Amino acid sequence: MKIYSIIKMSTMWSTNGLKNDVEKLLNDKTALGYEIVSVEFGLNLWWMPTAFVTICK
């Protein structure tokens, strides 16, 4: 049985910084044995760049 988790990350300043943070998270989670299911980028209610990362183990 796989257990799925959704991780939400957002930033007020730099979309490039958010991309770097997501990349670091993906590398860390993959090293711990997680499978990356999806990565989505968008905006939240306050127009802040937001990323949603779905992982499972």
Side-chain angles (χ1 to χ4, degrees), residues 14-32:
S14 170
T15 55
N16 207 22
L18 178 62
K19 179 190 64 117
N20 292 337
D21 292 345
V22 169
E23 185 176 0
K24 182 182 180 322
L25 175 79
L26 295 176
N27 290 332
D28 292 346
K29 293 299 183 182
T30 302
L32 292 173

Side-chain angles (χ1 to χ4, degrees), residues 6-53:
I6 299 173
I7 301 169
K8 178 181 146 185
M9 303 174 75
S10 59
T11 184
M12 290 184 66
W13 305 112
S14 170
T15 55
N16 207 22
L18 178 62
K19 179 190 64 117
N20 292 337
D21 292 345
V22 169
E23 185 176 0
K24 182 182 180 322
L25 175 79
L26 295 176
N27 290 332
D28 292 346
K29 293 299 183 182
T30 302
L32 292 173
Y34 286 89
E35 176 185 344
I36 307 303
V37 177
S38 69
V39 179
E40 302 289 331
F41 289 91
L43 300 171
N44 67 12
L45 290 172
W46 298 280
W47 294 92
M48 291 172 34
T50 304
F52 296 92
V53 179

